[in-house]
Amino acid sequence: MTTVAVKPATMAQALTRALRDAMAADPSVHVLGEDVGTLGGVFRVTDGLAKEFGEDRCTDTPLAEAGILGTAVGMAMYGLRPVVEMQFDAFAYPAFEQLISHVARMRNRTRGRMPLPLTIRVPFGGGIGGVEHHSDSSEAYYMATPGLHVVTPATVADAYGLLRAAIASDDPVVVLEPKRLYWSKDSWNPEEPAAVEPIGRAVVRRSGRSATLITYGPSVPVCLEAAEAARAEGWDLEVVDLRSLVPFDDETVTASVRRTGRAVVVHESGSFGGPGGEIAARVTERCFHHLEAPVLRVAGFDIPYPPPMLERHHLPGVDRILDAVARLQWEAES
Amino acid sequence: MTTVAVKPATMAQALTRALRDAMAADPSVHVLGEDVGTLGGVFRVTDGLAKEFGEDRCTDTPLAEAGILGTAVGMAMYGLRPVVEMQFDAFAYPAFEQLISHVARMRNRTRGRMPLPLTIRVPFGGGIGGVEHHSDSSEAYYMATPGLHVVTPATVADAYGLLRAAIASDDPVVVLEPKRLYWSKDSWNPEEPAAVEPIGRAVVRRSGRSATLITYGPSVPVCLEAAEAARAEGWDLEVVDLRSLVPFDDETVTASVRRTGRAVVVHESGSFGGPGGEIAARVTERCFHHLEAPVLRVAGFDIPYPPPMLERHHLPGVDRILDAVARLQWEAES
Amino acid sequence: MTVMEQRGGYRPTPPPAWQPRADPAPLLPDAEPYRVLGTEAAAQADPELLRRLYADLVRGRRYNTQATALTKQGRLAVYPSSTGQEACEVAAALVLEERDWLFPSYRDTLAVVARGVDPVEALTLLRGDWHTGYDPFEHRVAPLCTPLATQLPHAVGLAHAARLKGDDVVALAMVGDGGTSEGDFHEALNFAAVWRAPVVFLVQNNGFAISVPLAKQTAAPSLAHKAVGYGMPGRLVDGNDAVAVHEVLADAVRHARAGGGPTLVEAITYRVEAHTNADDATRYRGDDEVETWRRHDPIDLLEHALTERGLLDEEMKRAARDAAETMAADLRARMNQDAPLDPMDLFAHVYAEPTPQLREQRALLRAEIEAEQGGTQL
Amino acid sequence: MTVMEQRGGYRPTPPPAWQPRADPAPLLPDAEPYRVLGTEAAAQADPELLRRLYADLVRGRRYNTQATALTKQGRLAVYPSSTGQEACEVAAALVLEERDWLFPSYRDTLAVVARGVDPVEALTLLRGDWHTGYDPFEHRVAPLCTPLATQLPHAVGLAHAARLKGDDVVALAMVGDGGTSEGDFHEALNFAAVWRAPVVFLVQNNGFAISVPLAKQTAAPSLAHKAVGYGMPGRLVDGNDAVAVHEVLADAVRHARAGGGPTLVEAITYRVEAHTNADDATRYRGDDEVETWRRHDPIDLLEHALTERGLLDEEMKRAARDAAETMAADLRARMNQDAPLDPMDLFAHVYAEPTPQLREQRALLRAEIEAEQGGTQL
Ligand SMILES: Cc1ncc(C[n+]2csc(CCOP(=O)(O)OP(=O)(O)O)c2C)c(N)n1
Ligand SMILES: Cc1ncc(C[n+]2csc(CCOP(=O)(O)OP(=O)(O)O)c2C)c(N)n1
Ligand SMILES: [Mg+2]
Ligand SMILES: [Mg+2]
């Protein structure tokens, strides 16, 4: 086995590589969506695939999201493994009926006879200075829909691993790709990508004793930064990267919070009715007697995603996270 | 003022009356949807309106939910107050893009210049023996969408009051009408309907000292029944009917839980990512030091809504609620 | 500075030659619905086909009346009858090869049965069960579809996938007149035409979407005229003329199989019964209209043609009737048995593997049921 | 028992007389896009109109180049240029009366400006602000719309409402070729036709939806052919011929205002620039094609016609150019000022009254900002 120098790669590159490897390994993997062929996608994640595998494997569709997802359902019925790209999170909304009423339920309503091995890639979240409708966080909708898996990578390696796992899954998987991490770099060896882990395991990105930050996707780097900054305050924060929102890894999260006794959930998505409520509620159910303070949430405001010039106020940042940590009733401990 | 004998009325009748009174009071109120005209709606809630006000005021539309909601947006732009009926909750999904990207945001994106006084009536929930796609609980999607108000009545009087308030509101309001309560009866005087209360206030339906059941819509009667049954176990349960999911009445809910020190959230909607997570999380944030036990949730399972013959296993019933109450760590108190 | 000013001798050119993407003329439907029965062409129709259609129509009608009866006995949660529409239902099933796929809506259990699915399985969903009953792969019939028009893109995707795999499979997708108003109808037809997918779209225009008559649904000359806007042929056919429907669909299937792409077929028919057993049709239409259509009944039309050609004797009629009765009796008997339902199945197929959360919920329900069965009280 | 057997002398009747809902012939577009400039009809065109269009086109082109320049200076977050499409943009605005409504897409800020909206306000959203800038009611221009085709049902609903109120208002809605594939396009056109709503749908077929060429978007003879499927007239026009576009749109507006219902107009044009400044068009098309279209430039076409008729002298040209430059300079100057942005506004218009939850969040942000400004550290 030759050793290849580990070079920095972006998350977008890792995603492209995951698609390419999956398509090479399995001729039933087909990519479809708006501008995914000739252009290589507006984020260039499908760059080169049409050239390498032909337009029948990587197809520019007409401009209609329900049509894209609906035809992908039919392709999956015939044994293909379609990978659909929704151009931006907000442009997945026209496909909701197909998603909720068919994609999420087909396995169940056919007693397992007609599984839908479908991957739905959704560039998600803000922080890229996008104009309106280009920065939504829509994970709450997907999480509330039984039958879907929902994953989101925070690192280059996970981007590869989770996308491969999604394509390999016999269930529909929504892959939320944090837009603002597309160009984040990491040393990662595309020739020896990490083994593909099954979907559903969170990971402790940083160990700590004082409190747990529970987060995912684009907020993971922010939380790691906050944890570094917290050292100055004397807090040793643990950071759990959920990676998979559905299924939810209660084990890892619960173990962490039982250890630290305090937790803050951090995400970009709006607070009210957002993922943080679910997470805080289930952590509290499981860790009540270990908790020194209520599980707090640091989230986007309950407003339509703001414009570029104001988004920094909306996005959970280091200061807001540390403010929340400070409210974790430290007096009570001493 | 003549006194009319108070006769029992069904929730469906109260809703019809609310529409009729609103249409009579304000010529800009228009009803539109599938089968709402000649037929009077599949639940007969719009019965008689086309006859009384003409087909231009109560209109059978072509069969297309995005079209219905989208044209209603345009009608509201021109100063009408459209009341849209979605035939069943699952058939509102095709209209999600219009709902999320326009209805919920138009006021904000026009700096308040173009409010959308739109009411969206959605027959919701199960318990009526419906075949698949006819019993969804979709409130989690609406709650996670800033810009929408979301209300749901549990009583005949509230059905009238909330629908009138929704139509009177200058903001878009989703009115979730519990299907299985359409034929529930109550003594209610249509000639002297209660004053229309503003949206956003919960109500204590039953006072109690031991624990609070936080619930809404179709689960309110179930919780009241559970509270009665709980007396045999020595528990005196308080039942809070939220009525409005957005805005959420933190004041009433928090006051109750601070008093009782224990709470269970009850709803039909799936548990994971459902409304209960939000409610439990915010109650815990606000009442942490008053809580003797974690806020528990009794909800539908995280599965596609089951068929008639199994729905009784899915729906939160008295026994499951009492089981949850029993798990509220009563030993700790003594 | 304009281009004109930049370059001395420049004169604007005419628009870059515009070419229609397709000749519209052959895509447009005929002015009248195509008919065979009651016309001279009836004399030429294949006797075998006529007899086969007749037997299936008689059986189909009996299936419809039996299923409606089962709703009254509480054995079906709901039944959307296709009485009066049997010609379309049966022809749709008969034109397909074994390797082809059928995409039915909730109203099309008769087509599903005509394709070979056990009626009890075809009715599973309408019985109130949580699953589709039949194995979609056994007879290549997609699960019944309730959200309107959403099955159409599935048919397109499946047909497209088959073509990509080199299989000469055709998909036939059924939808109602009301369903044509949905966005999914539009998107499906457009994808099909762009991809030249081997799909046949059969619109059964039965006059109503629940209570809403066609005039409130569309202002188009006909629904078949929608085809030209996608660049596919539109055909208009008398939907109660089983032979005509069979011929038009068979043509479309052949065209699709040969790589010619999709066709939109509008069959003019009528929903003789109410929308479902739960509907009250008297609220929105008069008996006259129904009566007019009853006199253009698909079985009568065919019986008349067969009789005129001396192709039908009393014995054959009896045989058809007996076969229908046998089917009905069997259906009745088997539907009268309770479907075995295991509540634990609720968790079995949400995912390939239940999530940890579903395992917990399953355990909760199991404990509850055991407590119930053990007679234990709270 | 069949009806035939029940009643002795019964003979099946022909199908209840089928009538097309509309005569398809007049709904179909002409075989060639309608043109005026470069044809004999150009000699008859109203000089006033030609001159007005010319001034507006020159100004429109300058607006486009200025807006694109502003993206390079970071003064616009993004700009989807309508260079090459000015004839459609300007004509769409000019055909409307003051009481009418315009429904633009993200590409149509030029039409918005041509209707009278201050360019700075028209560009507010693209600048990266959170609101649409202009007051929709001031010039009766709906907010710019990004989710494709979703503005079309709005236009239908507004036009329908106006008609119900007895106002003879027409709505003109703009959409791209790509947008015609969306379900909302279908639903909007169908509602409009069924309701006979006074709407004009203007499809600017500029050849591409980002990178996707028309051939991957539709197989229809033309996009205008979609009209017949809704029962409305479809018109095809050379979208770079400002006079032809103006005439076709004006006809359609008149037809709508007179109660004749909606029209679908397809204007054949070309997106000369990339999709937006962020797009790299060389990835999906060659320079030749662009060059061909540059030689069929809307301003050149008009300038040529004016010149031929002796309606344009150097002074008028200069005047048009100067007016355009003045507009551009003003736009540049004002866009170079930072828009005043108050973070507290984020909470002001989500609802008529902020919810208690939003009030809490506003307080949190206010405290954060005060702490920041006070230089306070955590
Ligand atoms: C998306 C969606 N909206 C609404 C419904 C409710 N619904 C069920 S059947 C029906 C009428 C359908 O009419 P049509 O398409 O003509 O079919 P038919 O019932 O006449 O066979 C309606 C509105 C649905 N099933 N799906
Ligand atoms: C529902 C939706 N899907 C996807 C997009 C992303 N998107 C923005 S513009 C565009 C292409 C639109 O092409 P066309 O309709 O031809 O208009 P043009 O840009 O050429 O004016 C796409 C795919 C969107 N804005 N809305
Ligand atoms: Mg119908
Ligand atoms: Mg275009």
Side-chain angles (χ1 to χ4, degrees), chain B residues 12-83:
Chain B
Q13 284 165 341
L15 291 165
T16 307
R17 180 67 185 227
L19 290 171
R20 189 183 159 279
D21 290 354
M23 290 173 87
D26 180 351
S28 66
V29 176
H30 283 241
V31 170
L32 65 164
E34 293 156 10
D35 302 289
V36 298
T38 314
L39 185 66
V42 294
F43 293 105
R44 303 290 186 267
V45 170
T46 58
D47 197 19
L49 300 178
K51 208 164 190 182
E52 182 169 353
F53 298 99
E55 293 209 3
D56 282 347
R57 295 282 304 281
C58 180
T59 309
D60 283 330
T61 63
L63 213 169
E65 292 77 9
I68 294 169
L69 191 56
T71 52
V73 167
M75 290 165 75
M77 287 175 164
Y78 203 78
L80 301 186
R81 302 183 91 84
V83 182

Side-chain angles (χ1 to χ4, degrees), chain C residues 65-77 123 328 331-333 335-336:
Chain C
T65 55
Q66 182 57 62
T68 298
L70 285 166
T71 62
K72 299 202 176 103
Q73 293 142 28
R75 285 294 168 180
L76 279 182
L123 289 168
L331 177 56
R332 204 165 45 232
M335 291 296 284
N336 275 324

Side-chain angles (χ1 to χ4, degrees), chain A:
Chain A
M1 199 203 270
T2 56
T3 316
V4 183
V6 176
K7 278 184 286 186
T10 65
M11 184 180 282
Q13 285 166 340
L15 291 165
T16 307
R17 181 66 185 227
L19 290 171
R20 188 183 161 277
D21 289 356
M23 290 175 87
D26 180 353
S28 66
V29 176
H30 283 241
V31 169
L32 64 163
E34 294 156 9
D35 303 289
V36 298
T38 313
L39 185 66
V42 293
F43 292 105
R44 302 292 185 269
V45 170
T46 58
D47 196 20
L49 301 178
K51 206 161 191 186
E52 183 169 353
F53 299 99
E55 294 210 3
D56 282 346
R57 295 281 305 280
C58 180
T59 309
D60 282 331
T61 63
L63 213 169
E65 293 77 10
I68 295 169
L69 190 55
T71 52
V73 166
M75 291 165 75
M77 286 176 165
Y78 204 79
L80 300 186
R81 301 184 91 84
V83 182
V84 155
E85 174 174 309
M86 294 286 151
Q87 200 159 78
F88 282 86
D89 18 27
F91 306 143
Y93 302 154
F96 259 39
E97 183 185 32
Q98 285 289 344
L99 187 79
I100 300 173
S101 295
H102 288 298
V103 172
R105 298 185 189 182
M106 196 63 82
R107 172 186 287 279
N108 190 63
R109 60 198 293 272
T110 59
R111 255 192 303 188
R113 284 156 173 164
M114 195 171 246
L116 292 181
L118 234 165
T119 300
I120 305 170
R121 296 182 38 241
V122 185
F124 101 115
I128 58 157
V131 293
E132 54 165 8
H133 306 294
H134 287 79
S135 300
D136 283 23
S137 287
S138 43
E139 61 268 42
Y141 303 130
Y142 302 117
M143 287 173 70
T145 307
L148 302 177
H149 288 306
V150 185
V151 302
T152 176
T155 67
V156 173
D158 271 7
Y160 182 91
L162 288 172
L163 184 50
R164 288 298 305 266
I167 299 172
S169 168
D170 285 336
D171 285 318
V173 183
V174 177
V175 181
L176 299 168
E177 301 174 356
K179 289 183 208 99
R180 59 175 153 140
L181 298 185
Y182 271 139
W183 305 281
S184 67
K185 282 196 178 181
D186 229 333
S187 52
W188 176 74
N189 182 354
E191 302 307 323
E192 289 174 26
V196 176
E197 287 182 81
I199 286 170
R201 303 298 301 179
V203 62
V204 175
R205 289 273 171 225
R206 183 190 195 283
S207 313
R209 291 169 307 96
S210 325
T212 305
L213 302 181
I214 308 169
T215 189
Y216 56 89
S219 298
V220 171
V222 185
C223 284
L224 289 170
E225 206 186 315
E228 278 312 302
R231 289 170 57 182
E233 309 290 324
W235 296 314
D236 179 20
L237 300 184
E238 180 143 315
V239 178
V240 176
D241 172 1
L242 294 172
R243 297 202 287 203
S244 166
L245 295 171
V246 184
F248 190 87
D249 185 353
D250 281 313
E251 207 179 303
T252 302
V253 175
T254 304
S256 171
V257 178
R258 287 200 176 148
R259 214 159 42 229
T260 62
R262 290 180 172 84
V264 179
V265 187
V266 181
H267 58 62
E268 263 185 57
S269 170
S271 176
F272 192 85
E278 176 62 41
I279 298 168
R282 57 192 309 115
V283 166
T284 306
E285 283 166 26
R286 284 162 179 75
C287 309
F288 189 68
H289 290 293
H290 299 80
L291 284 176
E292 307 288 342
V295 178
L296 297 182
R297 293 181 277 170
V298 175
F301 297 124
D302 295 318
I303 60 175
Y305 194 89
M309 289 180 261
L310 293 176
E311 68 183 340
R312 73 176 184 93
H313 293 295
H314 178 73
L315 294 171
V318 169
D319 287 353
R320 202 172 288 159
I321 295 168
L322 294 185
D323 278 349
V325 171
R327 280 183 288 120
L328 289 175
Q329 311 190 357
W330 298 95
E331 332 71 49
E333 200 177 40
S334 55

Side-chain angles (χ1 to χ4, degrees), chain B residues 178-259:
Chain B
K179 288 184 208 100
R180 59 173 153 140
L181 297 186
Y182 270 140
W183 305 282
S184 67
K185 282 196 178 180
D186 229 333
S187 51
W188 176 73
N189 182 354
E191 301 308 323
E192 289 174 26
V196 176
E197 287 181 80
I199 286 171
R201 302 299 300 179
V203 62
V204 176
R205 289 271 172 227
R206 183 190 196 283
S207 312
R209 293 169 305 96
S210 323
T212 304
L213 302 181
I214 307 169
T215 188
Y216 56 89
S219 297
V220 172
V222 184
C223 285
L224 289 170
E225 205 187 316
E228 279 310 303
R231 290 170 58 184
E233 309 291 323
W235 295 315
D236 179 21
L237 301 184
E238 180 143 315
V239 178
V240 176
D241 173 0
L242 295 172
R243 298 202 286 202
S244 166
L245 295 171
V246 185
F248 190 88
D249 185 354
D250 280 315
E251 206 180 304
T252 302
V253 174
T254 304
S256 172
V257 178
R258 287 200 176 147
R259 213 158 44 229

